[in-house]
Amino acid sequence: MRYGQFDDEQREYVIDRPDTPLPWINYLGTDAYFGIVSNTGGGYSFYRDARLRRLTRYRYNNAPLDLGGRYVYVRDDETGDYWSPSWQPTPERELDDYECRHGLSYTKIASSRGGIRAETLYFAPLNETLEVWRVRVTNNRTKKAELSLFSSVEFCLWDAQDDATNYQRNFNTGQVEVVDGVIYHKTEYRERRDHFAYFGTSAKDDLQGFDTQRETFLGPYRGWDRPLVVENGTAKNEIAHGWQPIGSHHVRVHLEPGETREVVFVLGYAENPKDDKFDPPGSQTINKTRVRPVIDRWLDSAQVQRGFDDLRAYWDQLLGSLTVQTPDGDTNRMVNVWNAYQCLVTFNLSRSTSFYESGIGRGMGFRDSNQDLLGFVHMIPERARERILDIAATQKADGGAYHQYQPLTKRGNNDIGDGFNDDPLWLILGVAAYLRETGDHTFLDEPVPFDNVEGSEAPLYEHLQRSLRYTLDRLGPHGLPLIGRADWNDCLNLNCFSDTPGEPFQTTENASGGVAESVFIAGLFVLAAKELAVIAGLRGQDGEEVVYRAAAEKMAGTITEHGWDGAWFRRAYDFHGTVIGSGENDEGQIFIEPQGICVLGGVGLDDGLAVKALDSVAERLATPHGIVLQQPAYSSYRIELGEISSYPPGYKENAGIFCHTNPWIMIAETMVGNGDRAYDYYRRINPSAREEISETHRTEPYVYAQMIAGRDAPTHGEAKNSWLTGTAAWNFVAITQWILGIRPDFAGLRIDPVLPSGWPGFEATRGFRGATYEITVRGTGARVTYLLVDGERIDGNLVPPAPPGAVVRVEAIRE
Ligand code: BGC
């Protein structure tokens, strides 16, 4: 069953009923000002940091779901009937029709009731710190309509965590000011008064009034479903002192039959110039003169239209960097639009803000951000560059990494700490992806500090060297890398142990001091060391190239010796030296991660182990809904394994389909030449291909989810944690670079598709180092044997880089 459909031409997903299984959300903003918006108008906005600069309130895990939003109410002043065109927060008021169009950084929600149609377009214009709501109301009745519009937002007192917990303070701090129809929210943020929010409307003569105190607007003990002010049809013009400041405008709209009226609302964020901070306490000055022109500009209809057109052009340009025409519509729309879009959203927001991430919990992940950039580096390499420099500057002098850093300060996050021993290696893969895409090897000479300490700067290249060294300095009893607190799998905590029976514990100290080893990190090391060897070679550091190659080979040997279980790669050795992910175990006999990453590192490609491991995955881990993380699921908690065994079987890391890992297997399958299997796995978790089973899948059919419940779960096939997941980047890499095979390489653009057997070929356009490549893949052979580059034959599959601006025709022939 579906709840909508794709409009491929408009690049929108059109939801045609409001009661989707879960809120189906979208994102506003492209740079510094962001928000989430659901298909029923729920969501919130923030400036840069969802925790510390939150503009509006949202109530996570609330009943009903998804409350707090950008709500507009329409009131029929002749009958007193009122409703919200976004369905929420007035779901009892039935709509005659409803449609939500989620597009690229904008959402349009339209509906009708009693012959009145209202359509609201929400978007945040480029290069501004504000969002626009353009409301169009149409009278489809045969007689005139006397209506009122009420806008509404509930302001958050900036620090979302404090806002939701510290009421003894916060019921006293709320401050607003209303000047010429603009509501300024200027609650001080602790001792500082350097930023404020504003909420304005284009209505002038028709502006009847405003409200700023929530309980007055709603009425005592009422909810957003029946605000007293809306019910009575008259704003109270009351200024909030403390309690819960809100913003609401009351606008009267008179409409002749067939007439449409447009009213614009602008919600935004501003900072006072630095010296304004020193206004005497109590003067409550905010610099309105500076922002008023900005507000006025965006209240103008023509400017709104231009801003919206610019936003669409921005996306045209970004998505134009790679488009494909394959025989599969689900592949096309994911690659050309939605997967690419998700990659950029994930890059911007890391794991901070979604329906599942509260915006207060997490910073930017070291490993996460390095992987996220794999999915967007071809669209905006300069932002990947910036991100890499931020991440690398948090690396510690011993090569280790903070697991997360804070987006506002760009400092390592001490609360989470370090000791996730895979973290540093991802930096090598992130940098390698940037170099492959851009060819800009001078990047490696960029001075970057360690742990943000001034004076500690070393070339970026040295950071990569120390990343490898970090692993080599931490090898365990079998010569495999120590796992520390965890590797990619945050929940596999193998240094959990108890000296005293009945007293389980795990501390950072004992975790990083423990001797548990990870085959996953070993595979990742082989991959990273080979990458760094190539990079060293290209820098003319031949000696180092040899050393890194030898280190990779040695580690590959250790994997074969201690990490091979007979039919698949083992997962780890725990604190006690017990093997994990082996036929010797009663549960957790085979894990997906090492099968993927070892093959990606090239381990087992020459001796048949890779094929065997992948066959084992197909036999033991693959389900119709995707490949589960391990089998058999753990049926009870085991201290020596940690958090993984705390999940019920089939969920999350305990044998859920952790979608992030599936593309590793897809890529591995292409590496052994099995295009059918790679593509089959790709389709199993492709959200668009799962659209028909939306009532089972439940999350948005236009973006990947982190997890789908595994075969041990009673809700097998149900997705959770959509949007912000490494799944986005890795699936994009798997389909575009390995299955379709358009893969940036250090020396040029490789065209190396490994396609499903039924495909005659496909076409693609790919921007690469400033040139555009128009690619046609044809022929019926398994692999590309030669290319025609602007008609000239080149044996093999590597297209040499053309000068910037060139348009190059490439025919890739599979003989
Ligand atoms: C984290 C990743 C981690 C994955 C598996 C995600 O929630 O963001 O860093 O690799 O879980 O545990």
Side-chain angles (χ1 to χ4, degrees):
M1 180 184 164
R2 300 178 183 202
Y3 294 80
Q5 62 281 325
F6 287 90
D7 181 338
D8 291 323
E9 193 130 316
Q10 291 298 317
R11 299 197 291 220
E12 292 172 336
Y13 191 80
V14 190
I15 301 166
D16 48 29
R17 48 187 287 184
D19 56 341
T20 45
L22 289 160
W24 283 4
I25 70 164
N26 191 19
Y27 287 80
L28 309 180
T30 49
D31 184 19
Y33 183 97
F34 292 104
I36 58 173
V37 56
S38 77
N39 57 308
T40 59
Y44 60 95
S45 301
F46 61 95
Y47 173 71
R48 283 194 195 277
D49 186 315
R51 171 167 172 182
L52 297 177
R53 294 288 187 281
R54 193 171 301 190
L55 268 79
T56 55
R57 281 199 181 133
Y58 184 73
R59 289 181 177 75
Y60 275 96
N61 204 3
N62 197 30
L65 275 179
D66 188 30
L67 214 60
R70 301 173 184 82
Y71 300 129
V72 173
Y73 299 86
V74 180
R75 181 178 191 276
D76 184 333
D77 287 337
E78 283 161 337
T79 63
D81 180 34
Y82 66 89
W83 69 97
S84 172
S86 58
W87 191 60
Q88 285 283 24
T90 57
E92 301 298 321
R93 315 253 160 174
E94 264 176 42
L95 299 171
D96 300 333
D97 57 55
Y98 158 94
E99 182 184 271
C100 167
R101 289 180 170 260
H102 282 318
L104 305 178
S105 303
Y106 68 88
T107 285
K108 225 186 251 180
I109 303 177
S111 65
S112 306
R113 181 173 159 103
I116 302 298
R117 180 183 154 87
E119 176 201 279
T120 309
L121 166 70
Y122 301 98
F123 74 100
L126 301 171
N127 308 316
E128 297 282 6
T129 59
L130 56 83
E131 68 188 60
V132 170
W133 313 359
R134 183 182 72 189
V135 186
R136 284 181 172 159
V137 196
T138 304
N139 178 8
N140 290 325
R141 298 174 180 165
T142 47
K143 56 184 183 62
K144 70 171 176 51
E146 298 294 346
L147 308 171
S148 282
L149 281 189
F150 292 86
S151 63
S152 68
V153 290
E154 184 174 357
F155 291 113
C156 178
L157 310 184
W158 304 114
D159 178 342
Q161 169 94 347
D162 190 70
D163 182 71
T165 47
N166 193 2
Y167 305 115
Q168 61 80 26
R169 174 178 197 273
N170 294 337
F171 284 169
N172 299 287
T173 57
Q175 297 179 71
V176 297
E177 190 175 332
V178 181
V179 183
D180 296 335
V182 178
I183 299 164
Y184 295 91
H185 173 231
K186 52 182 204 170
T187 301
E188 294 180 28
Y189 175 63
R190 298 281 175 192
E191 75 283 5
R192 291 201 307 274
R193 184 174 49 257
D194 57 0
H195 54 263
F196 57 93
Y198 50 81
F199 191 33
T201 173
S202 63
K204 295 215 161 47
D205 300 344
D206 298 333
L207 182 61
Q208 297 297 304
F210 61 85
D211 273 279
T212 65
Q213 182 59 270
R214 190 185 73 193
E215 295 312 291
T216 305
F217 180 71
L218 298 181
Y221 297 95
R222 283 174 168 238
W224 292 93
D225 55 336
R226 43 187 205 112
L228 196 58
V229 160
V230 177
E231 193 173 291
N232 292 338
T234 321
K236 294 277 202 225
N237 297 334
E238 190 179 312
I239 296 290
H241 301 287
W243 298 111
Q244 297 92 357
I246 63 158
S248 171
H249 303 95
H250 174 196
V251 181
R252 277 223 211 281
V253 180
H254 167 95
L255 290 176
E256 292 299 323
E259 192 186 347
T260 297
R261 173 79 199 278
E262 185 172 300
V263 182
V264 179
F265 299 96
V266 167
L267 172 68
Y269 171 88
E271 283 177 5
N272 284 328
K274 287 272 175 283
D275 44 354
D276 278 21
K277 264 199 237 168
F278 304 108
D279 287 337
S283 75
Q284 295 168 12
T285 311
I286 49 171
N287 197 323
K288 297 179 288 282
T289 21
R290 222 164 47 92
V291 298
R292 186 68 215 214
V294 180
I295 301 172
D296 287 340
R297 176 147 36 98
W298 288 101
L299 290 174
D300 175 63
S301 277
Q303 178 62 24
V304 168
Q305 188 58 47
R306 272 197 298 278
F308 185 56
D309 294 344
D310 289 349
L311 182 67
R312 296 203 59 152
Y314 168 84
W315 278 108
D316 285 347
Q317 189 252 325
L318 285 177
L319 298 183
S321 53
L322 174 59
T323 57
V324 301
Q325 284 314 315
T326 76
D328 176 27
D330 296 309
T331 299
N332 296 343
R333 69 161 65 107
M334 288 311 291
V335 170
N336 295 341
V337 185
W338 294 98
N339 193 179
Y341 177 50
Q342 186 181 2
C343 284
L344 266 172
V345 169
T346 307
F347 156 67
N348 280 323
L349 298 164
S350 192
R351 304 293 177 272
S352 76
T353 308
S354 71
F355 182 65
Y356 309 86
E357 305 278 9
S358 64
I360 53 181
R362 300 171 67 160
M364 316 276 282
F366 193 97
R367 83 156 79 90
D368 291 343
S369 297
N370 274 305
Q371 290 173 84
D372 291 345
L373 64 87
L374 306 178
F376 72 85
V377 59
H378 66 290
M379 289 188 271
I380 15 181
E382 57 291 353
R383 291 189 69 192
R385 183 180 210 279
E386 214 177 280
R387 177 61 56 86
I388 290 171
L389 293 176
D390 287 350
I391 302 170
T394 67
Q395 189 180 27
K396 301 186 177 189
D398 68 356
Y402 290 100
H403 195 46
Q404 290 175 10
Y405 70 99
Q406 289 308 122
L408 261 193
T409 61
K410 299 189 175 171
R411 304 273 151 158
N413 183 339
N414 268 317
D415 299 349
I416 313 282
D418 57 9
F420 293 81
N421 282 353
D422 62 316
D423 270 333
L425 294 171
W426 294 108
L427 181 64
I428 300 178
L429 299 193
V431 172
Y434 175 82
L435 298 178
R436 284 168 182 273
E437 187 64 44
T438 62
D440 169 21
H441 286 256
T442 60
F443 185 39
L444 295 164
D445 300 318
E446 195 74 30
V448 185
F450 289 99
D451 203 359
N452 282 297
V453 174
E454 224 177 285
S456 66
E457 285 78 7
L460 178 61
Y461 179 68
E462 195 176 322
H463 284 253
L464 306 187
Q465 293 175 302
R466 291 201 200 180
S467 290
L468 275 196
R469 191 38 48 219
Y470 182 84
T471 305
L472 291 174
D473 286 347
R474 288 166 183 74
L475 299 179
H478 298 89
L480 291 163
L482 293 178
I483 198 169
R485 290 172 64 181
D487 60 23
W488 172 87
N489 188 331
D490 283 337
C491 302
L492 191 62
N493 314 125
L494 300 180
N495 288 309
C496 281
F497 59 93
S498 173
D499 288 336
T500 326
E503 267 184 41
F505 66 94
Q506 187 210 6
T507 66
T508 314
E509 289 72 38
N510 71 44
S512 26
V515 294
E517 297 165 279
S518 162
V519 177
F520 174 82
I521 300 183
L524 183 64
F525 177 88
V526 176
L527 177 61
K530 286 182 176 172
E531 288 288 71
L532 197 56
V534 179
I535 293 169
L538 291 169
R539 277 172 79 76
Q541 266 140 335
D542 299 345
E544 281 174 30
E545 179 181 359
V546 172
V547 170
Y548 296 144
R549 268 195 210 293
E553 225 157 87
K554 182 158 181 232
M555 188 67 81
T558 310
I559 293 175
T560 316
E561 194 181 344
H562 297 292
W564 180 252
D565 203 59
W568 58 80
F569 294 101
R570 297 174 163 180
R571 181 62 179 84
Y573 289 89
D574 74 9
F575 179 79
H576 306 286
T578 308
V579 66
I580 308 295
S582 158
E584 289 172 26
N585 303 115
D586 59 339
E587 294 176 337
Q589 294 176 336
I590 169 171
F591 281 69
I592 192 172
E593 305 101 304
Q595 321 313 325
I597 209 77
C598 290
V599 180
L600 260 63
V603 184
L605 283 179
D606 298 333
D607 52 15
L609 300 192
V611 169
K612 258 197 198 160
L614 293 171
D615 286 347
S616 298
V617 169
E619 255 167 54
R620 307 198 37 153
L621 300 180
T623 81
H625 294 291
I627 312 169
V628 299
L629 194 139
Q630 43 95 345
Q631 281 291 287
Y634 294 111
S635 54
S636 59
Y637 182 67
R638 301 172 182 221
I639 175 127
E640 68 281 10
L641 301 178
E643 190 179 345
I644 188 170
S645 58
S646 71
Y647 285 110
Y651 293 98
K652 293 279 277 183
E653 281 86 342
N654 189 10
I657 296 158
F658 215 96
C659 297
H660 186 140
T661 59
N662 281 217
W664 296 340
I665 300 299
M666 298 168 203
I667 298 171
E669 288 289 1
T670 67
M671 292 174 79
V672 301
N674 199 339
D676 282 323
R677 245 203 218 153
Y679 175 68
D680 177 17
Y681 290 150
Y682 172 73
R683 278 193 62 86
R684 292 186 201 194
I685 61 166
N686 178 325
S688 164
R690 296 172 63 79
E691 188 192 13
E692 292 295 346
I693 53 161
S694 285
E695 80 284 8
T696 305
H697 185 76
R698 303 190 78 226
T699 59
E700 299 90 335
Y702 41 92
V703 287
Y704 284 96
Q706 179 207 57
M707 196 212 72
I708 298 174
R711 69 156 77 101
D712 303 284
T715 59
H716 185 31
E718 179 192 44
K720 286 196 190 104
N721 304 356
S722 55
W723 276 103
L724 303 182
T725 158
T727 311
W730 275 108
N731 271 283
F732 195 80
V733 170
I735 184 69
T736 62
Q737 298 190 17
W738 294 91
I739 298 176
L740 302 179
I742 305 176
R743 187 158 71 245
D745 210 334
F746 294 104
L749 190 61
R750 218 167 268 291
I751 316 289
D752 182 23
V754 182
L755 300 178
S757 40
W759 282 22
F762 68 93
E763 293 189 356
T765 305
R766 173 67 149 89
F768 180 65
R769 302 189 192 172
T772 303
Y773 298 82
E774 288 171 356
I775 303 160
T776 305
V777 173
R778 54 187 174 80
T780 50
R783 300 298 268 258
V784 166
T785 39
Y786 70 95
L787 305 169
L788 296 173
V789 177
D790 282 333
E792 246 174 70
R793 183 179 167 123
I794 297 181
D795 287 333
N797 59 20
L798 186 72
V799 188
V807 179
V808 184
R809 268 272 340 107
V810 180
E811 283 170 84
I813 318 295
R814 304 186 302 156
E815 268 183 328

